[in-house]
Amino acid sequence: MGASPLASAPVMAAYRYCEAVTALQARNFSYGIRLLPEAKRLAMSALYALARRVDDIGDGELPAEQKTEALARTRALLDEIRAGAVGEDDTDPIKVALADAARRFPIPLGGFDELIDGVEMDLKGVEYRTFDELKVYCRCVAGSIGRLSLGVYGCEDWERGAEYADTLGLALQLTNILRDLREDALNGRTYLPAEDLARFGCQQGFALPQLPVGADFTGLVAFEADRAQQAFAEGLRLLPMLDRRSRAATAAMAGIYHRLLGRISADPHSVLRGRVSLPGWEKAYVALSGLAGGRS
């Protein structure tokens, strides 16, 4: 962190832990935040580390009752941070780092409560009849991260910026949903709206090796991908409202997902064969393009 650390040794150690979590597990996210100045990069690592913990609770092997209890403990952690009751000697490094980040930046911590709401929807097995219902879920699990990040980045017009961040989160989450169709189906989860599945003859879902006769899977993916493309176009209006390096970080993360969406659109059945991803060199190229002011 250099000769003049931004915080005390215990807090810097907590940030180091969050950076390690981010580097190990963040994949696409880490390529963007590497472009930020130190203070913002550390704060974003703390945001990611807690978001990762929430996701891991939802996706883990614990019984549903224990997952609910773990999520309740996370809400209590947020209350401690809001109350300014977290000391440097706390044994939870994520709590320590996030508490420090929240003192430095106007982070809307309620976004984490929304993320927990979204994970609780998963635990309850909520399915979505319409796109409007799905958008509520996407706001919780993805738009929330955008608005949390905006607290670190800063924005000249918070209200409009938060709307664009929400929409960009929708674009990213729709891309995730398309990418993970088969994996989610094998785990008993369906996110695409029931009305869309019925429209394209895909009510049976995607857990079976073969699609039912007459299913227009290509049409379904094209329809949902077009929605995601529209959300990208709207959400990327956030970029001019950010400072250069925050803009670069956002463009990098969005650019990686946008390229994933392009891959899926070009070969819809690829999501049934395995997880669509970009090689590391391509992610790095997209990140550098974002720093140079381009969109990829």
Side-chain angles (χ1 to χ4, degrees):
M1 298 303 171
S4 301
L6 295 175
S8 67
V11 173
M12 293 304 291
Y15 276 127
R16 287 283 196 181
Y17 175 84
C18 293
E19 284 198 305
V21 170
T22 304
L24 182 64
Q25 301 187 46
R27 298 182 182 178
N28 299 334
F29 186 83
S30 64
Y31 281 88
I33 66 173
R34 290 175 190 175
L35 304 176
L36 294 169
E38 183 181 43
K40 290 185 177 183
R41 187 181 70 250
L42 294 177
M44 290 297 291
S45 294
L47 291 182
Y48 175 82
L50 186 60
R52 179 76 262 170
R53 175 181 291 178
V54 173
D55 285 344
D56 285 346
I57 292 170
D59 294 335
E61 300 299 326
L62 292 174
E65 182 178 348
Q66 292 183 36
K67 289 183 178 182
T68 299
E69 293 171 354
L71 292 174
R73 289 195 295 272
T74 307
R75 291 191 192 274
L77 176 157
L78 292 168
D79 287 339
E80 286 185 62
I81 293 175
R82 280 186 278 254
V86 180
E88 293 185 358
D89 58 347
D90 194 286
T91 57
D92 184 344
I94 296 177
K95 186 196 299 187
V96 172
L98 186 58
D100 185 77
R103 284 191 290 267
R104 295 174 184 274
F105 299 98
I107 298 171
L109 293 173
F112 281 115
D113 292 291
E114 290 182 84
L115 176 61
I116 294 170
D117 290 342
V119 172
E120 288 176 339
M121 292 181 197
D122 283 336
L123 295 185
K124 295 172 183 176
V126 174
E127 295 186 356
Y128 308 97
R129 295 171 299 166
T130 68
F131 184 55
D132 283 342
E133 291 181 0
L134 177 61
K135 285 196 292 186
V136 173
Y137 172 77
C138 292
R139 175 183 170 84
C140 288
V141 299
S144 61
I145 304 301
R147 282 175 273 111
L148 286 162
S149 300
L150 203 61
V152 175
Y153 294 157
C155 182
E156 61 187 33
D157 184 338
W158 172 262
E159 186 173 349
R160 286 177 58 226
E163 291 177 0
Y164 292 145
D166 246 2
T167 305
L168 191 56
L170 173 63
L172 270 57
Q173 190 61 26
L174 287 175
T175 303
N176 272 337
I177 288 170
L178 289 173
R179 182 193 62 188
D180 298 339
L181 277 180
R182 174 58 59 80
E183 180 181 341
D184 288 335
L186 293 174
N187 289 324
R189 294 177 179 175
T190 301
Y191 291 99
L192 291 181
E195 64 180 13
D196 297 350
L197 298 176
R199 175 180 176 181
F200 292 95
C202 295
Q203 305 96 310
Q204 182 176 315
F206 311 103
L208 297 177
Q210 301 295 326
L211 293 168
V213 175
D216 183 8
F217 181 73
T218 298
L220 173 67
V221 172
F223 181 73
E224 304 298 350
D226 183 64
R227 277 178 165 162
Q229 290 282 12
Q230 292 179 43
F232 270 116
E234 177 71 11
L236 286 171
R237 295 174 68 180
L238 172 65
L239 295 183
M241 304 172 69
L242 305 177
D243 66 66
R244 178 175 177 268
R245 291 176 71 175
S246 297
R247 182 167 63 247
T250 303
M253 287 184 279
I256 289 170
Y257 278 90
H258 195 243
R259 286 198 171 210
L260 280 175
L261 183 63
R263 296 273 176 96
I264 294 168
S265 297
D267 182 9
H269 285 78
S270 63
V271 300
L272 302 179
R273 297 192 297 267
R275 189 180 184 89
V276 180
S277 62
L278 301 182
W281 68 264
E282 190 169 356
K283 293 179 182 179
Y285 169 78
V286 173
L288 289 173
S289 297
L291 190 60
R295 297 186 192 178
S296 298

